[in-house]
Amino acid sequence: MHLEQTSYALSPDGIRLDKVKKGIGQYCAIMQQLQKTDVSADRDFQTLFNGFYKIIKKPAAFYNCYYAYLEQHKQDTQLTFRQVLEYLYEKTGAIHASFGSKLLATVRPEIPVWDQYVLKNLGLKPPYSYAKNRLGKVCALYDSICAWYQTQEARDRIQLFDSLFPGIDISEVKKIDLLLWQTR
C-alpha cells in the first residue's frame, strides 16, 4: 500500500483526501483481522469497526447480537441485506439499514454500504420510520443503491480513486464507498 504521497487537501470533487486515506487504512485493518479473530469477542476489532463505521451509542445487547451475527456469517458469501435486516429486527425491534449494510459489506466487499452520505450523494432519501412496509421499502431503496454502483458515474469514481490512490487492493465498491463517504 502506498499512501504517503496523497495530499491532505480537497479533490476537485470536494472529497477530503486525508479522510479517504485514513479510511483506507482502517478498512484494510478490519478486513485483515476479520478472518483471523473471533469478532464476537475481540474488543479491539469491535472498537476499530465501530470507529470506522460510526456505530456508536448503542446498548451492549445490540453490540453483542451484532458481532455474534458477524462472527457466525463472516464467511457467508450468499448473505443478503434482507437477512441481516430481519435478524437485527428480530433481536432489536428496529430496522437498522445502515448498520446492517455495514455488516453485510464487511462479509461481502462487493456490496455497497447504506450511509447518510451515500444516500445524499445519490440523491436518495430513506423511507420514514413509520412507513407501511418499511422493510420492503428499505430493501427496494438498497437495490437502487446497488444499481447505481453499476453506472458510468460509479465507474468514473473508481477511476478517480485509482488516480488518487494507485495500487490500493480493495474492491471497486469499497473504492466508491470511501469516496462517497468523504464527498460532503
Side-chain angles (χ1 to χ4, degrees):
M1 208 179 295
H2 190 292
L3 298 177
E4 293 79 357
Q5 295 178 0
T6 303
S7 168
Y8 289 104
L10 289 176
S11 75
D13 294 344
I15 301 166
R16 286 282 313 268
L17 299 178
D18 57 324
K19 298 279 190 173
V20 176
K21 178 182 173 183
K22 180 180 177 186
I24 293 167
Q26 291 172 314
Y27 177 75
C28 289
I30 289 167
M31 297 310 287
Q32 289 169 357
Q33 289 303 308
L34 179 65
Q35 301 302 332
K36 294 179 183 178
T37 190
D38 177 348
V39 302
S40 67
D42 187 334
R43 298 293 178 229
D44 290 335
F45 176 88
Q46 293 174 16
T47 298
L48 178 63
F49 191 96
N50 292 344
F52 178 67
Y53 284 119
K54 309 293 188 243
I55 302 177
I56 57 173
K57 298 181 183 177
K58 293 290 178 194
F62 174 86
Y63 293 112
N64 291 338
C65 78
Y66 190 86
Y67 286 107
Y69 193 78
L70 178 56
E71 177 61 27
Q72 181 182 1
H73 292 278
K74 67 184 181 183
Q75 295 182 8
D76 184 353
T77 60
Q78 301 304 308
L79 188 63
T80 68
F81 184 61
R82 182 176 284 274
Q83 288 172 318
V84 175
L85 290 186
E86 288 174 346
Y87 169 81
L88 291 174
Y89 184 79
E90 175 187 317
K91 296 295 184 183
T92 69
I95 297 174
H96 294 282
S98 179
F99 298 147
S101 75
K102 292 166 182 175
L103 186 151
L104 179 63
T106 302
V107 173
R108 299 183 56 198
E110 77 280 6
I111 303 291
V113 166
W114 169 306
D115 175 271
Q116 67 177 324
Y117 301 110
V118 170
L119 292 176
K120 181 180 176 190
N121 283 305
L122 301 185
L124 302 171
K125 292 186 188 260
Y128 293 109
S129 59
Y130 55 80
K132 289 185 180 188
N133 187 22
R134 184 163 185 259
L135 178 63
K137 290 178 180 177
V138 165
C139 289
L141 184 60
Y142 188 70
D143 288 344
S144 296
I145 294 169
C146 293
W148 180 86
Y149 277 66
Q150 304 305 312
T151 65
Q152 182 59 49
E153 187 178 354
R155 287 189 289 279
D156 292 345
R157 296 281 178 142
I158 295 165
Q159 271 189 305
L160 175 62
F161 183 97
D162 288 342
S163 71
L164 295 169
F165 303 99
I168 302 299
D169 186 24
I170 60 175
S171 75
E172 290 183 342
V173 167
K174 288 307 143 246
K175 291 175 181 182
I176 298 167
D177 281 345
L178 286 162
L179 291 180
L180 288 177
W181 294 340
Q182 297 308 325
T183 305
R184 313 262 167 112

